[in-house]
């Protein structure tokens, strides 16, 4: 059985999967703050689910994911800002607490792996995962593994500048994230919390700011999907994150935006983008499931061939 732990900005989730990948046990609690509490809460939730399936001897592997810059070889994380973690030796400390080796990965990348396994895609498939939360993040699974690139930066499409004059948190102007994210939605429609985030209901009722926010969101998400499909050839684009709690109205609006784009371009229409996009329900612990599927990366450096002319 595999153990997976997702240390999120607000909550920590743990799951145990059986050999077929089915969830046998799960637990969730508010995340700790600061290095010690983050590790202690993750260990506590892990012990809860492990106890449910017969104890530590039943667990064959363990993985954990967390926001921030993750060194998958060293098992460390830096700049997990929302957790008050600046620099944490997460793999070693959690491994010592649980008595098993723990593989560490970034949360969005682990969620992409979880989505790939939940969709039961094979090694030949390429799947892109788009997280619509406070920000806009993405990751790609190819040949069964997450594409990381140097410093794990592959898939950070939220910071591709696409136009406009809005300053992004990253320091650039006009990033995709300034069009499609919870932050963008609140900037354009500050009353969102007062109306229970009923974006499409309020837009249909004639709320001008909600109309503009919905247009920006759908335009940005459609652009993100197009970038992911053209950039990596993904057959599937699986969307999750807090904003997908809007459910079918958001999914249908995104598909409608993709259809409109296809009407103007036979090339885009041929890609069938509306059929490639789907949501994963927000109550599915997709990142913890992905963490359970992590495998330890190779620490070796490939041989370099030099050429003398
Ligand atoms: Zn940016």
């Amino acid at each position: 059985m595999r153990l997976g732990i997702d240390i999120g900005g607000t909550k920590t989730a743990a799951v145990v999967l059986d050999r077929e990948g089915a969830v046998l046990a799960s637990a969730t609690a508010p995340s700790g703050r600061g290095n010690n509490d983050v590790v202690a809460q993750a260990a506590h939730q892990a012990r809860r689910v492990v106890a449910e399936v017969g104890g530590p001897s039943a667990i064959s592997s363990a993985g954990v994911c967390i926001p921030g810059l993750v060194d998958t070889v060293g098992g460390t994380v830096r700049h997990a800002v929302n957790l008050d973690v600046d620099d944490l030796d997460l793999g070693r400390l959690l491994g010592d607490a649980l008595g098993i080796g723990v593989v560490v990965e970034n949360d969005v990348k682990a969620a992409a792996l979880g989505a790939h396994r939940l969709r039961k895609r094979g090694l030949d498939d390429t799947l892109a995962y788009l997280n619509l939360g406070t920000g806009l993040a993405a990751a790609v699974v190819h040949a069964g593994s997450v594409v990381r690139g140097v410093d794990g930066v592959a898939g950070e499409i939220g910071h591709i500048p696409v136009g406009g004059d809005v300053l992004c948190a990253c320091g650039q102007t006009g990033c995709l994230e300034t069009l499609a994210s919870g932050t963008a939605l609140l900037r354009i429609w500050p009353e969102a919390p007062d109306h229970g985030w009923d974006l499409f209901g309020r837009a249909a009722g004639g709320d001008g700011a909600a109309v503009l926010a919905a247009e920006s969101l759908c335009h940005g998400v459609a652009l993100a999907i197009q970038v992911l499909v053209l950039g990596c050839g993904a057959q599937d684009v699986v969307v999750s994150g807090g904003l997908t709690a809007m459910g079918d109205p958001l999914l249908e609006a995104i598909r409608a935006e993709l259809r409109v784009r296809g009407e103007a371009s036979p090339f885009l229409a041929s890609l069938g983008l509306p059929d490639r996009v789907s949501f994963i329900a927000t109550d599915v612990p997709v990142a913890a499931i992905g963490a359970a599927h992590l495998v330890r990366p190779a620490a070796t450096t490939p041989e370099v061939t030099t050429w003398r002319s």
Side-chain angles (χ1 to χ4, degrees):
M1 287 181 254
R2 294 169 170 269
L3 169 65
I5 306 154
D6 168 28
I7 303 172
T10 54
K11 61 188 180 183
T12 292
V15 298
V16 174
L17 309 183
D18 69 12
R19 290 165 67 101
E20 279 71 47
V23 177
L24 295 178
S26 64
T28 305
S31 293
R33 288 284 178 277
N35 287 8
N36 290 343
D37 287 351
V38 161
V39 174
Q41 182 63 289
H44 181 58
Q45 297 312 310
R47 289 191 193 100
R48 282 179 63 192
V49 290
V50 169
E52 275 187 52
V53 298
S57 62
I59 303 299
S60 58
S61 67
V64 62
C65 65
I66 186 168
L69 296 174
V70 169
D71 173 351
T72 56
V73 175
T76 58
V77 58
R78 290 183 294 130
H79 307 307
V81 180
N82 292 338
L83 293 162
D84 296 332
V85 166
D86 186 44
D87 196 344
L88 175 61
D89 193 358
L90 179 61
R92 185 181 64 78
L93 292 171
L94 194 55
D96 287 350
L98 297 175
I100 186 172
V102 179
V103 185
V104 186
E105 181 54 283
N106 166 267
D107 59 345
V108 176
K109 288 182 166 55
L113 195 60
H116 182 269
R117 300 303 193 263
L118 284 167
R119 289 287 189 261
K120 301 196 182 306
R121 295 303 186 226
L123 291 180
D124 293 335
D125 296 304
T126 300
L127 179 144
Y129 173 82
L130 185 65
N131 192 278
L132 273 180
T134 306
L136 178 72
V140 172
V141 177
H142 177 69
S145 301
V146 180
V147 179
R148 302 197 91 259
V150 176
D151 293 333
V153 80
E156 292 283 2
I157 64 164
H159 298 291
I160 293 176
V162 293
D165 56 3
V166 178
L167 186 64
C168 181
C170 76
Q172 300 185 95
T173 301
C175 289
L176 201 41
E177 186 172 289
T178 66
L179 296 178
S181 64
T183 304
L185 202 156
L186 273 175
R187 186 189 73 245
I188 302 168
W189 188 42
E191 296 83 16
D194 301 336
H195 299 301
W197 295 79
D198 180 20
L199 179 64
F200 294 96
R202 294 293 300 184
D207 183 329
V211 170
L212 290 175
E215 285 176 358
S216 176
L217 178 61
C218 294
H219 171 68
V221 173
L223 204 49
I225 291 166
Q226 193 175 328
V227 166
L228 287 167
V229 170
L230 292 178
C232 68
Q235 292 100 324
D236 292 288
V237 181
V238 178
V239 187
S240 191
L243 293 190
T244 60
M246 293 182 202
D248 284 345
L250 175 59
L251 180 57
E252 287 313 312
I254 293 167
R255 285 178 170 153
E257 171 79 17
L258 291 167
R259 275 193 289 272
V260 168
R261 286 165 170 263
E263 286 166 9
S265 163
F267 164 66
L268 270 188
S270 73
L271 299 177
L273 296 178
D275 298 328
R276 301 197 194 202
V277 58
S278 63
F279 282 5
I280 280 187
T282 50
D283 60 350
V284 175
V286 61
I289 290 170
H293 284 286
L294 291 171
V295 293
R296 189 165 295 284
T300 53
T301 306
E303 283 183 30
V304 176
T305 302
T306 54
W307 179 263
R308 284 186 195 155
S309 58

